[in-house]
Amino acid sequence: MPTNPSTPFLPTTRREFLGLSAKGLGLLAFSQFAPRFLVQSTLAQTPAPEKDRSILVLVQLAGGNDGLNTLIPFEDADYYRLRPTLGIPKANVLRLNDTHGLHPSMTALHALFGEGQLSVIQNVGYPNPNRSHFRSTEIWETACDPNEVLSSGWVGRFLDNACAGTPADAHDPLAVHITTNGVPQSFTSEHPHPTFGLLPGAGNRKDNEETRRLLEQLAGTDASGASENTTFLQQTFMDTLVTETKVQRVIGRYRPAHPYPGTPFAASLRNVAALIAGGLPTRVYFVSLSGFDTHSNQLTQQANLLTQLSDALAAFQRDLKAHALDQQVLTMTFSEFGRRPSENESRGTDHGTAAPLFVLGPRVQGGLQGTAPSLKLAPNQDLTFSTDFRQVYATVLDRWLGCPAQTVLGGVYQPIGFLAGARAS
């Protein structure tokens, strides 16, 4: 504990707060700095948050992943007609059934498929697709129709509906993102909720230390006589500092039970596993893997990305299982769009429409879901989607997160069978 009276003492748990109160330090020791919720919840003996609820991990494949070279229709002659140089040879495909298989770099996910822990949903998209990265990402993250704009994201609306009553200033985050681009639009909500962000691969990095020192300085500034807004900001800084300290402590102490690859994306998933194992009440995690905008020289670039994706997801799943946490975690990938069926002159593919997505976990109904796209297409013609992405969201909301999907999505979308046996919690 710091002895310098100018340095604020920073409790990271309610138990720590209570322990120091018993030693006579109590509220007066840091009441100038303590967030209001600590005082309120301690006095009220607020019970610990539930820590066994279902958890969703969203994995964004930023840039628009090429679905046809991810889930490969190796018996379709039109696939090879449309991709004379990019087509993956039939002999190299990791077979899932008699007609489709995974990219040869995805051996780890192929093994999970064989164990019944991977569901592949084919040809997912939406009507009147928009090929802009920005707008299509916005459509996926807000779950809106292409002709409307929503101010809230689908995860944010889930928090609005399922997490009402949670103290808005509680420091344990209900949603955590590990991204380089700030808060994902999926998290925006009508009501305030505790959320938190980390940089990819963040652990005890220098920039985290600098952030912590800045927050300490801001939280410890003399606020006597300050305006209400200044006091509010100081309290917000303090809440952030408490969360930052706790998160870094949890991550620093975590010991994976399965090795992770040495990539920033794998480190992000390792940190997610640490926070889940640490007992945070977080319901949704968001991580991102970028680089899928493969307009040229796609073969090598996508193979590297799919290797990173496959190896990291499989390590994450194995780690969760070894810690007996896998039953409460569902992981789902998404990308803003697929790519054109025809390859371009740069041995790449341009912005397209539909693509497959993956859902992982021991409670999924493994296998292929939905209908494969028709490839009887002219050059530069797009795929026609067969599964609306909001059907996937509806299934996750109703059958995994235990939240009425219609309330969140604003419409009725037919669920898909990849969670038919799951129990909502």
Side-chain angles (χ1 to χ4, degrees):
M1 181 189 310
T3 55
N4 183 348
S6 65
T7 303
F9 167 63
L10 304 172
T12 57
T13 66
R14 291 177 176 83
R15 177 177 297 178
E16 194 171 77
F17 181 95
L18 288 168
L20 286 160
S21 295
K23 295 178 182 177
L25 295 174
L27 292 173
L28 290 178
F30 50 87
S31 57
Q32 180 184 355
F33 309 104
R36 185 176 66 250
F37 82 91
L38 273 176
V39 179
Q40 292 175 335
S41 62
T42 299
L43 293 176
Q45 294 294 292
T46 303
E50 295 180 52
K51 297 178 179 177
D52 57 351
R53 290 184 172 183
S54 56
I55 294 168
L56 174 65
V57 179
L58 292 171
V59 177
Q60 179 190 35
L61 311 183
N65 180 40
D66 176 27
L68 278 184
N69 271 22
T70 302
L71 178 64
I72 300 160
F74 58 84
E75 290 290 4
D76 193 333
D78 285 314
Y79 166 69
Y80 294 101
R81 171 180 62 83
L82 294 165
R83 300 193 162 192
T85 68
L86 291 185
I88 305 296
K90 177 179 175 180
N92 297 343
V93 174
L94 302 172
R95 294 185 177 220
L96 301 180
N97 62 17
D98 292 338
T99 58
H100 287 76
L102 295 177
H103 189 281
S105 66
M106 305 179 78
T107 53
L109 279 187
H110 185 251
L112 285 182
F113 186 90
E115 298 168 15
Q117 296 194 54
L118 173 65
S119 183
V120 185
I121 305 169
Q122 304 177 85
N123 199 24
V124 183
Y126 58 87
N128 303 315
N130 187 300
R131 297 176 188 81
S132 156
H133 289 294
F134 176 81
R135 178 57 184 153
S136 192
T137 299
E138 183 177 59
I139 289 169
W140 273 82
E141 295 212 37
T142 63
C144 69
D145 285 324
N147 59 354
E148 68 176 341
V149 175
L150 296 180
S151 59
S152 60
W154 75 282
V155 173
R157 295 197 296 277
F158 157 68
L159 297 177
D160 284 342
N161 285 280
C163 300
T166 301
D169 53 355
H171 67 286
D172 282 338
L174 292 174
V176 170
H177 62 93
I178 304 179
T179 59
T180 56
N181 298 322
V183 181
Q185 198 164 3
S186 301
F187 283 12
T188 54
S189 57
E190 297 295 332
H191 306 290
H193 302 285
T195 61
F196 191 73
L198 287 166
L199 291 173
N204 296 314
R205 294 171 48 166
K206 181 181 177 182
D207 47 1
N208 284 12
E209 280 299 303
E210 291 175 349
T211 299
R212 185 183 64 79
R213 283 196 292 271
L214 175 61
L215 289 170
E216 281 184 351
Q217 182 180 356
L218 293 170
T221 301
D222 182 7
S224 57
S227 68
E228 186 174 332
N229 285 342
T230 301
T231 303
F232 173 79
L233 285 174
Q234 191 175 42
Q235 180 174 303
T236 301
F237 291 141
M238 186 66 177
D239 287 345
T240 304
L241 181 55
V242 169
T243 304
E244 172 75 19
T245 303
K246 179 172 184 176
V247 164
Q248 293 306 328
R249 177 179 295 178
V250 169
I251 289 174
R253 289 178 174 175
Y254 185 63
R255 298 292 176 268
H258 187 88
Y260 284 79
T263 63
F265 176 66
S268 296
L269 288 176
R270 181 249 187 225
N271 289 346
V272 171
L275 297 177
I276 293 172
L280 269 68
T282 307
R283 301 296 306 276
V284 180
Y285 292 89
F286 187 111
V287 298
S288 184
L289 177 62
S290 62
F292 287 93
D293 198 14
T294 51
H295 287 283
S296 62
N297 301 318
Q298 176 176 302
L299 275 178
T300 302
Q301 185 177 345
Q302 193 193 25
N304 289 337
L305 288 166
L306 293 179
T307 299
Q308 289 185 53
L309 176 72
S310 174
D311 290 354
L313 286 177
F316 178 62
Q317 205 61 40
R318 306 287 186 207
D319 188 22
L320 291 176
K321 183 177 181 180
H323 282 102
L325 295 168
D326 57 328
Q327 293 290 332
Q328 69 181 102
V329 180
L330 181 75
T331 303
M332 184 182 86
T333 69
F334 76 97
S335 193
E336 66 263 39
F337 43 63
R339 307 192 76 82
R340 288 280 174 88
S342 301
E343 66 182 56
N344 61 30
E345 295 180 351
S346 301
R347 297 192 174 186
T349 52
D350 299 322
H351 299 180
T353 55
L357 63 77
F358 300 121
V359 186
L360 298 83
R363 289 163 65 181
V364 303
Q365 301 291 309
L368 291 179
Q369 303 278 348
T371 306
S374 170
L375 298 184
K376 304 258 179 232
L377 303 169
N380 292 326
Q381 191 175 356
D382 266 322
L383 300 178
T384 300
F385 81 102
S386 54
T387 296
D388 193 304
F389 74 99
R390 288 163 293 191
Q391 292 179 254
V392 182
Y393 290 180
T395 309
V396 170
L397 287 163
D398 276 332
R399 298 178 180 176
W400 185 255
L401 294 174
C403 180
Q406 187 173 353
T407 304
V408 173
L409 301 178
V412 178
Y413 297 94
Q414 184 66 36
I416 306 169
F418 66 86
L419 279 174
R423 296 170 300 164
S425 54

